[in-house]
Amino acid sequence: MRQKISLGITLLILILLVSACDRVGRAPEDLDVTPTITPTATLTPSPTPSAAEEASTETSATGDLQGQLDVILAQVPDTVPAGAVQWRRDSAAGVQVPGNIVNGVGGKVFFTEQIGGKSNITYAIFDSAADAKTHFDKMFGIREPVAVGNPNANFPTPNMFGSGLYGSYALMQVQEIYFIEVYVEAFSSTSGNPLIPLAQQALNFLNAGITKFASPDTKPQQIEAIVAALPDEITAGETVWTRRVTRDPEILEEIPDGRGVKVLYQTEDADLFLTFAVFDTTEAMSAYYNSRQAARREGTLTYEVAGGSEDEDLPAPNLFASSQLVAAGALLQASETALVDIEMTSEGSAYDLKPVAEQAVLILETGLANFTAPQ
């Protein structure tokens, strides 16, 4: 009886095993392993952006800020007077990029002075006023002299000025998103602390840069319009001046806060140079006008012996010729931001420059009238 029960149990187990194998599935004939159920696929996180992609995004976001910062830094001259101290920009140090700027861009310029003083100015522009304030607060906590200093009512707020054992600092948040730090590391006590006058200069440079960036430079286009208005001939009284077409107009790029073009017109025995210049501001135009007024002018003289005469007392054939240089000039303020500079040299003939000046002013006005400012 027990044998029958054991046999029955064994058969039941075998039946159950066979049934389980059918549900799982039979192994292929060419495999000697039983297949397993494939796990369900799970979602994987998106790959982290590469450093290059992050840099590209950052450049796109801060591109305009960097352009504006470059304009601001360009307003800092080589020499900066600050009270009794004359700071000279340290060209060897260049512009340093601060490493603590978050959500913005920054640049630091360095200065030295004759008896060993050292200073620097840091400019930064942020994405938002909150970012700028965060940076201001952070630097306030770092600069120990500022923490025990005082604000100055003559500067934009928030600001703080302070002096200590290791130098003097000024911090300013300007027009919400701009930040200035002025650090005077060392200075002569006999000349007084230059912190406040240097901070004022730093603020002036910032404001000039903001204004310039907001007003795109159109001087090149204005000069192009003036060149396009140049006639082939200028009739001035009884004299006709012909443009020297084999000599391209000379573009003058080194004019401080200005741009100009110099063009040559000629008669048979004279050269006439007309210079047209346009400027960013009336002050820049006036400064250049004064410098040209005091400038020493030079001319060249060319002549030929072929038109000379023979001297009977000397071996023949011979020829003697002489000539003299006649020079004239004129300088005109044609508008609040433009001027005309005229130079004429001749081999002996004197020419009236008044009708020339009238025509030159007309050329300038025509060119500027044809110039269309970008919208």
Side-chain angles (χ1 to χ4, degrees):
M1 180 67 178
R2 290 180 177 175
Q3 291 179 347
K4 290 182 180 180
I5 293 173
S6 298
L7 180 61
I9 292 172
T10 301
L11 290 173
L12 179 61
I13 292 172
L14 289 173
I15 292 170
L16 292 173
L17 289 174
V18 171
S19 175
C21 290
D22 287 340
R23 285 196 299 269
V24 172
R26 298 181 182 278
E29 295 181 357
D30 59 343
L31 293 180
D32 59 356
V33 295
T34 302
T36 58
I37 300 174
T38 304
T40 303
T42 57
L43 296 177
T44 57
S46 300
T48 303
S50 66
E53 290 171 337
E54 290 181 347
S56 175
T57 302
E58 181 179 355
T59 300
S60 175
T62 62
D64 290 340
L65 297 186
Q66 185 62 52
Q68 187 174 25
L69 178 67
D70 292 342
V71 173
I72 292 168
L73 293 172
Q75 306 312 301
V76 182
D78 292 335
T79 302
V80 179
V85 180
Q86 289 281 336
W87 295 105
R88 293 193 63 82
R89 188 163 174 175
D90 187 351
S91 57
V95 177
Q96 184 183 96
V97 178
N100 58 357
I101 304 297
V102 178
N103 295 332
V105 296
K108 178 185 294 187
V109 292
F110 298 84
F111 303 90
T112 59
E113 57 96 25
Q114 190 173 7
I115 56 178
K118 294 181 179 180
S119 67
N120 60 67
I121 300 173
T122 300
Y123 292 101
I125 314 175
F126 293 90
D127 291 335
S128 69
D131 293 324
K133 186 60 167 62
T134 298
H135 186 75
F136 180 93
D137 293 340
K138 178 174 65 176
M139 301 311 296
F140 180 88
I142 293 174
R143 307 307 188 197
E144 183 178 348
V146 176
V148 294
N150 296 288
N152 189 311
N154 296 318
F155 289 86
T157 56
N159 73 71
M160 193 64 69
F161 290 69
S163 298
L165 182 62
Y166 299 105
S168 301
Y169 288 92
L171 305 178
M172 285 178 272
Q173 183 181 350
V174 184
Q175 295 185 31
E176 296 188 341
I177 64 170
Y178 304 97
F179 171 83
I180 302 175
E181 177 182 87
V182 179
Y183 174 37
V184 179
E185 181 180 355
F187 63 93
S188 171
S189 59
T190 60
S191 59
N193 191 341
L195 178 64
I196 290 180
L198 183 57
Q200 183 60 61
Q201 292 283 43
L203 181 60
N204 294 342
F205 302 146
L206 172 70
N207 289 332
I210 293 172
T211 300
K212 189 165 187 177
F213 184 78
S215 304
D217 183 11
T218 60
K219 296 189 298 296
Q221 291 77 18
Q222 292 181 61
I223 291 299
E224 289 179 3
I226 293 171
V227 171
L230 292 172
D232 293 335
E233 292 183 343
I234 295 176
T235 302
E238 298 180 355
T239 306
V240 177
W241 299 92
T242 303
R243 182 177 165 188
R244 176 80 170 270
V245 293
T246 58
R247 175 171 174 164
D248 291 334
E250 179 185 359
I251 304 299
L252 308 176
E253 300 179 348
E254 303 302 321
I255 298 175
D257 295 317
R259 190 179 182 90
V261 60
K262 189 174 186 179
V263 60
L264 173 61
Y265 285 85
Q266 294 177 308
T267 65
E268 184 177 349
D269 63 346
D271 291 336
L272 176 70
F273 287 96
L274 301 181
T275 298
F276 304 91
V278 294
F279 299 86
D280 292 325
T281 63
T282 301
E283 292 76 15
M285 188 280 300
S286 297
Y288 188 73
Y289 183 98
N290 292 336
S291 68
R292 290 300 296 164
Q293 177 178 286
R296 184 177 181 83
R297 309 300 180 102
E298 297 180 358
T300 59
L301 172 65
T302 59
Y303 63 94
E304 296 178 355
V305 180
S309 58
E310 186 175 79
D311 190 306
E312 298 179 354
D313 297 330
L314 293 172
N318 66 71
L319 289 174
F320 287 79
S322 64
S323 185
Q324 63 180 0
L325 174 66
V326 174
L331 190 61
L332 301 94
Q333 177 183 331
S335 73
E336 291 185 353
T337 56
L339 61 78
V340 177
D341 194 350
I342 303 172
E343 298 174 286
M344 187 276 299
T345 56
S346 168
E347 298 177 14
S349 300
Y351 292 93
D352 183 9
L353 290 190
K354 182 178 179 179
V356 172
E358 292 171 345
Q359 293 299 314
V361 171
L362 181 59
I363 293 170
L364 176 68
E365 292 175 344
T366 301
L368 294 181
N370 292 335
F371 163 72
T372 302
Q375 301 298 319

